[in-house]
Amino acid sequence: GTGIPKVSQWAYSKAKEDVKEQCIHVLFPGTSECFDNERAEVLTPYPTRTNVQSWYGAMRPKGERFWKEVAWPSIEWKLVELLVLARDHVLHIDHAIK
């Protein structure tokens, strides 16, 4: 699969003190505050697609195989799960539109 990446300029962190760090979890690609911070690892050029060699090399772990066999299928399943779980909460809106 391929997508249009939205990439944090900071390395992902599970640390408790980073849970609410917007430069990691929310602001993609980021604000000047995120870019100017010492934790920033600015990708140049910024990736525009997820099916090119530069993308596979910028991933951690690196490599096309990891992206295609692990990361992308995981993303697809998370999106499907989200849609299935949300379905019951929005189905009445769909019926009202029809």
Side-chain angles (χ1 to χ4, degrees), residues 1 50-76:
T50 61
N51 63 348
V52 292
Q53 288 303 317
S54 59
W55 174 255
Y56 305 134
M59 290 288 298
R60 287 189 215 142
K62 294 180 186 243
E64 182 175 354
R65 183 172 179 216
F66 173 78
W67 178 253
K68 288 184 174 179
E69 296 179 12
V70 178
W72 188 257
S74 175
I75 292 166
E76 287 179 325

